[in-house]
Amino acid sequence: MAIIEVNHLTKEYQLGHLTSLKETALNTMRRLAFQPVHERERFKALDDVNFHINEGEVVGIIGHNGAGKSTLLKHLANISKPTKGSVAVRGSIAPLIEVGAGVNPELTGRENIFLNGAILGIPKKIIQKKLDDIISFSELEQFIDTPVKRYSSGMTVKLGFSIATSLDADILIIDEVLAVGDLAFQRKCFDKMESMIVHQGKTVLLVSHNIRQIERICKRVILMDHGKILSDGNPSKVCGLFYTQSDDKIKTQSGGGNISSRKEQSGEIELISVELTNQQGNIVDKIAYNEDVTFNLKFKINNILEHPNFGFGIHTTDFLYLATEITEEKYKDQILSPGNYTLSIRIPNFPFLPGVFSIRVGVQAGKIARNIFYQENILPFQVKNTTEERTQSMSEGFIHLNGNWNLFHNLGDTQCIGE
Amino acid sequence: MLRIAKNLYTYRELIAALTWKNIVIRYKQAYLGILWAVLKPIMLMLVFTLVKGFVGIETGGLPYPLITFAALIPWVFFQESVSEGVNSVTSNANLIKKIYFPREVFPLTAMVTKLVELVISFAILAAMMIYYHVMPTLHAVWIPVFVLYTMIAALTISFFGAAMNVYYRDIAQAIPIALSLLMYGSPVIYPLSLVQKKLVIEQAAGAWSNDLYFLYTLNPLVGIIDGFQSVLIRATEPDLNVIYPGLILILVILPFSYWFFKRAESWFADVI
């Protein structure tokens, strides 16, 4: 029997403000005169959502901002009521919807433990019993009798998480909580959640933008988009779909104008354009996985450049630098007179796994090397899947190592049994 | 009524914790602490006593400060419970958006918080009674009944007002005005006997006198305040004729008020 049943759940919100007295009066007049009234626009935050969750399942919910994830959790936690459809939850729910909702800044840490416990419905006796555990988990022994308003934000969250996870509920609802605290504490929360999932067999619903985490702990992932369930099932498959979606979105965004990219230039050299060409020499913005590619960088040089040194790098859309190639000695002895130049770099078997990447370019010149040009996020491009099995997924990393497998039996002479 | 009492029991720990939070927070960084809670009735009593010196109000031979203070105790309790109760839902918006529990916990908590302050006021009244050599009699056992009645009256308004206030913040603005008007419609500054003398005996408003008097007693505070004064200071039975119009009115409205609150509750998180 499903512990959570959601059937045809629809939630509509009215957009805009509460109608004023004037508007109400006008609408009443219109109604009396049988004229159409001004209705406020409606917005479907959830649109005919259906799913069942069985006991002990660990389900991740992913989607872009505004996809309806948090609204869905609010319905499960009984905070909002559906416009249409039904939500049935069999069991007690521990809402972690934003940890520390009930933390009061005026009270001390210890007082807040009792207050939050009461708000979450934990009997006082049980809190008393667990008090030491909660305090030691939160790592706040020293500050536990200090008012929370004097805590740092990380400390507040640590306290909130410690209280919420001490609750013995059948269903845990977690909304974006692991994005907080320092790395060590995040790790600890993560371990605690994993142990709650594995050892206590709790049903967990997890909303996060950290897809890597979701892929790791969830056995099932639901992808939401514009209030609808787009995909539901195997984590790597659903997350893969989400990545493809995000990549498309990022590419269209950064295609228009380089928003957050770094750009420095002295004027001695200008980058006119960058082209990406595939095996056939056509200019493209999508390449196939493992294809031979060439990047053509067209420069206009304004002043004479001595000892030029060109750099070319590839980074992810969130500016994680993945690889850099530098010309170093190659053109060191050259003196480039003003004019237009094309520098090309050919990369055989482009080693990156499917995803969206971008490039950065830097130029140094002079006897004592000066940076005269640097720009990031110049040309976003996409690496596409060639085969269906190879789903795009963070858990595989970014780079294709192109390794050769060999398996030997180590007894006796080295005999190859399979390659 | 029964549902309220049952929730009061089921969520007693939560209500206790929230009440304790309310009290601690309000007085935590105040040097005088919880004494502030009782300063209001004391100041009002002093002002009224001063005014009485100019105007002259018939008190039936009893010390005026004592009579007024006995009236101010239930009045201030009622007034503060209502104004806190009406704001209780909107001021806890962060909790309402995050965690579910029956929302009537908020108006109930507001009232219980004031109950704590009421106890302190009673201690001061006791001290005053000793000072004026007025000893309580067996009739004082009525007090818990009147406190309960005051609570029910306050809740009746709180439930409706708190729910409406989520949609229309006008309510929170209107309540203080309505309450200060209601004070003059209740025997706080003057004793009820004065009204009775004017309307019932002298028929000051002509043919309308008896109807007006009935309208006056529809105000539950009339019965409550007169009851408090009777059983504590005057050492007599409470006058039930004064009490029942207001009591019946409250008992009729309360279920509707509660029903309205429960119906509106589902949309609090969306609208607040």
Side-chain angles (χ1 to χ4, degrees):
Chain A
M1 179 125 110
I3 195 163
I4 297 175
E5 261 182 54
V6 175
N7 295 315
H8 304 288
L9 173 61
T10 301
K11 178 72 177 181
E12 282 183 352
Y13 289 110
Q14 290 190 326
L15 294 179
H17 285 282
L18 197 73
T19 40
S20 65
L21 195 63
K22 183 184 152 208
E23 195 66 19
T24 313
L26 280 173
N27 271 344
T28 315
M29 299 266 282
R30 288 193 194 101
R31 234 175 248 125
L32 288 174
F34 299 104
Q35 277 172 355
V37 290
H38 283 268
E39 290 257 342
R40 280 190 289 158
E41 211 182 323
R42 286 174 171 277
F43 170 77
K44 273 191 182 175
L46 291 173
D47 190 359
D48 196 28
V49 171
N50 291 288
F51 64 87
H52 290 198
I53 289 173
N54 292 318
E55 210 176 327
E57 265 194 300
V58 180
V59 180
I61 301 173
I62 56 174
H64 299 294
N65 286 334
K69 301 174 303 250
S70 297
T71 314
L72 178 63
L73 292 195
K74 276 189 178 174
H75 283 83
L76 296 181
N78 200 11
I79 294 166
S80 287
K81 293 280 188 305
T83 315
K84 259 181 263 161
S86 68
V87 176
V89 177
R90 300 181 182 86
S92 57
I93 276 198
L96 282 185
I97 296 180
E98 279 178 47
V99 166
V103 171
N104 194 293
E106 298 289 335
L107 302 178
T108 68
R110 190 188 304 274
E111 289 168 337
N112 262 304
I113 292 177
F114 284 103
L115 176 65
N116 267 269
I119 290 171
L120 292 171
I122 316 173
K124 202 168 175 178
K125 272 186 213 148
I126 294 182
I127 304 177
Q128 215 117 41
K129 229 179 351 183
K130 289 187 168 178
L131 189 65
D132 291 334
D133 286 346
I134 296 174
I135 296 174
S136 73
F137 186 83
S138 69
E139 305 168 352
L140 295 169
E141 289 91 346
Q142 206 185 334
F143 313 102
I144 204 68
D145 289 312
T146 307
V148 169
K149 62 181 170 187
R150 314 219 199 285
Y151 281 20
S152 72
S153 54
M155 285 158 83
T156 316
V157 171
K158 280 179 175 187
L159 184 70
F161 189 88
S162 311
I163 299 166
T165 47
S166 64
L167 184 60
D168 280 317
D170 306 326
I171 305 163
L172 265 175
I173 292 184
I174 301 165
D175 190 358
E176 293 288 358
V177 284
L178 293 181
V180 291
D182 50 38
L183 280 179
F185 192 74
Q186 273 187 32
R187 185 71 247 160
K188 205 163 136 184
C189 294
F190 200 72
D191 289 344
K192 173 119 182 180
M193 272 177 35
E194 273 196 321
S195 88
M196 283 169 97
I197 292 162
V198 176
H199 302 301
Q200 300 171 27
K202 300 211 181 205
T203 310
V204 178
L205 271 133
L206 181 68
V207 164
S208 176
H209 285 289
N210 190 336
I211 312 297
R212 219 164 48 76
Q213 264 174 3
I214 293 248
E215 246 190 299
R216 185 174 153 170
I217 29 181
C218 297
K219 302 283 171 293
R220 175 178 160 195
V221 176
I222 295 173
L223 170 60
M224 297 196 63
D225 189 37
H226 293 99
K228 290 190 174 120
I229 291 186
L230 213 63
S231 179
D232 178 354
N234 179 287
S236 63
K237 204 183 103 223
V238 179
C239 290
L241 185 64
F242 181 65
Y243 277 127
T244 321
Q245 251 193 4
S246 305
D247 286 349
D248 287 342
K249 206 173 164 185
I250 290 167
K251 219 164 73 63
T252 44
Q253 271 173 6
S254 47
N258 302 327
I259 313 149
S260 60
S261 55
R262 241 174 81 196
K263 191 173 180 179
E264 292 157 20
Q265 60 189 116
S266 66
E268 288 158 89
I269 185 166
E270 287 169 42
L271 182 65
I272 310 286
S273 69
V274 179
E275 284 168 357
L276 168 61
T277 59
N278 63 7
Q279 251 156 322
Q280 288 78 38
N282 302 324
I283 297 174
V284 290
D285 62 352
K286 289 189 183 112
I287 54 176
Y289 161 68
N290 214 15
E291 202 177 7
D292 293 347
V293 296
T294 306
F295 290 90
N296 296 317
L297 317 174
K298 300 203 165 143
F299 289 106
K300 180 170 182 250
I301 294 175
N302 298 325
N303 300 1
I304 291 172
L305 289 189
E306 289 177 47
H307 313 296
N309 186 8
F310 296 92
F312 167 85
I314 290 175
H315 60 79
T316 61
T317 46
D318 52 352
F319 298 98
L320 176 65
Y321 302 147
L322 296 172
T324 307
E325 292 279 317
I326 300 171
T327 55
E328 289 284 16
E329 299 298 323
K330 194 158 182 183
Y331 308 114
K332 194 124 199 175
D333 305 326
Q334 300 219 9
I335 294 168
L336 300 177
S337 52
N340 288 329
Y341 294 80
T342 298
L343 178 71
S344 79
I345 176 167
R346 184 173 169 277
I347 303 165
N349 301 340
F350 194 69
F352 291 102
L353 294 174
V356 169
F357 303 96
S358 193
I359 63 167
R360 58 188 186 124
V361 170
V363 182
Q364 285 181 334
K367 274 204 184 80
I368 308 152
R370 296 175 292 120
N371 292 325
I372 58 171
F373 181 88
Y374 181 76
Q375 194 179 346
E376 284 179 346
N377 196 17
I378 299 170
L379 179 76
F381 62 95
Q382 190 174 5
V383 179
K384 302 271 284 180
N385 295 344
T386 42
T387 49
E388 270 306 307
E389 312 91 72
R390 186 110 206 182
T391 55
Q392 180 181 343
S393 143
M394 275 303 169
S395 62
E396 291 184 34
F398 300 106
I399 299 164
H400 171 58
L401 287 178
N402 204 9
N404 286 316
W405 296 98
N406 280 303
L407 182 61
F408 295 104
H409 204 292
N410 282 349
L411 291 172
D413 46 6
T414 50
Q415 195 195 352
C416 181
I417 54 169
E419 202 175 331
Chain B
M1 232 345 248
L2 275 176
R3 286 260 311 268
I4 301 174
K6 196 176 149 268
N7 270 332
L8 199 62
Y9 182 75
T10 319
Y11 290 91
R12 62 190 186 284
E13 284 205 354
L14 177 57
I15 293 174
L18 288 174
T19 303
W20 165 81
K21 178 203 85 172
N22 281 350
I23 293 172
V24 168
I25 287 171
R26 176 160 305 176
Y27 305 113
K28 198 153 205 183
Q29 274 196 1
Y31 186 67
L32 286 185
I34 201 152
L35 272 182
W36 282 108
V38 291
L39 222 60
K40 182 175 176 177
I42 292 176
M43 294 312 284
L44 281 174
M45 177 196 75
L46 291 177
V47 171
F48 292 168
T49 309
L50 198 69
V51 171
K52 191 241 169 199
F54 307 115
V55 194
I57 294 168
E58 184 55 50
T59 57
L62 288 160
Y64 181 78
L66 202 54
I67 287 280
T68 316
F69 199 72
L72 278 168
I73 286 180
W75 168 255
V76 170
F77 172 59
F78 172 81
Q79 184 212 21
E80 299 250 307
S81 301
V82 169
S83 47
E84 288 270 318
V86 165
N87 282 310
S88 60
V89 174
T90 37
S91 61
N92 284 295
N94 60 332
L95 281 184
I96 289 194
K97 283 191 192 163
K98 304 289 191 285
I99 298 162
Y100 179 77
F101 42 81
R103 305 308 188 197
E104 58 263 40
V105 162
F106 295 116
L108 283 170
T109 303
M111 195 189 64
V112 175
T113 309
K114 295 300 159 191
L115 210 55
V116 176
E117 299 176 357
L118 180 76
V119 171
I120 304 169
S121 299
F122 268 118
I124 292 175
L125 182 75
M128 284 176 66
M129 286 170 75
I130 294 168
Y131 177 81
Y132 285 109
H133 302 290
V134 177
M135 285 303 127
T137 56
L138 205 60
H139 293 298
V141 295
W142 277 92
I143 287 297
V145 181
F146 281 114
V147 171
L148 184 71
Y149 179 22
T150 318
M151 285 163 62
I152 292 171
L155 275 181
T156 305
I157 301 175
S158 296
F159 279 140
F160 184 77
M164 280 299 279
N165 192 38
V166 173
Y167 296 89
Y168 303 99
R169 297 292 148 92
D170 310 54
I171 304 299
Q173 305 290 335
I175 282 287
I177 303 172
L179 282 173
S180 58
L181 286 180
L182 190 66
M183 189 178 85
Y184 296 103
S186 312
V188 180
I189 302 178
Y190 52 87
L192 175 67
S193 53
L194 220 65
V195 182
Q196 282 171 330
K197 198 176 120 204
K198 278 273 177 210
L199 286 176
V200 183
I201 299 168
E202 294 175 6
Q203 295 280 318
W208 294 90
S209 293
N210 284 333
D211 296 328
L212 265 179
Y213 181 68
F214 177 72
L215 204 65
Y216 183 73
T217 49
L218 268 183
N219 173 3
L221 267 302
V222 172
I224 291 169
I225 291 171
D226 185 59
F228 257 82
Q229 291 169 331
S230 292
V231 300
L232 271 177
I233 316 293
R234 286 196 284 269
T236 54
E237 292 259 323
D239 184 356
L240 292 178
N241 286 329
V242 182
I243 293 166
Y244 81 83
L247 183 63
I248 290 170
L249 181 73
I250 284 295
L251 290 181
V252 168
I253 301 175
L254 180 65
F256 288 105
S257 176
Y258 183 66
W259 171 82
F260 181 80
F261 185 87
K262 288 309 273 182
R263 256 189 64 117
E265 180 191 85
S266 315
W267 314 108
F268 280 177
D270 299 336
V271 179
I272 205 159

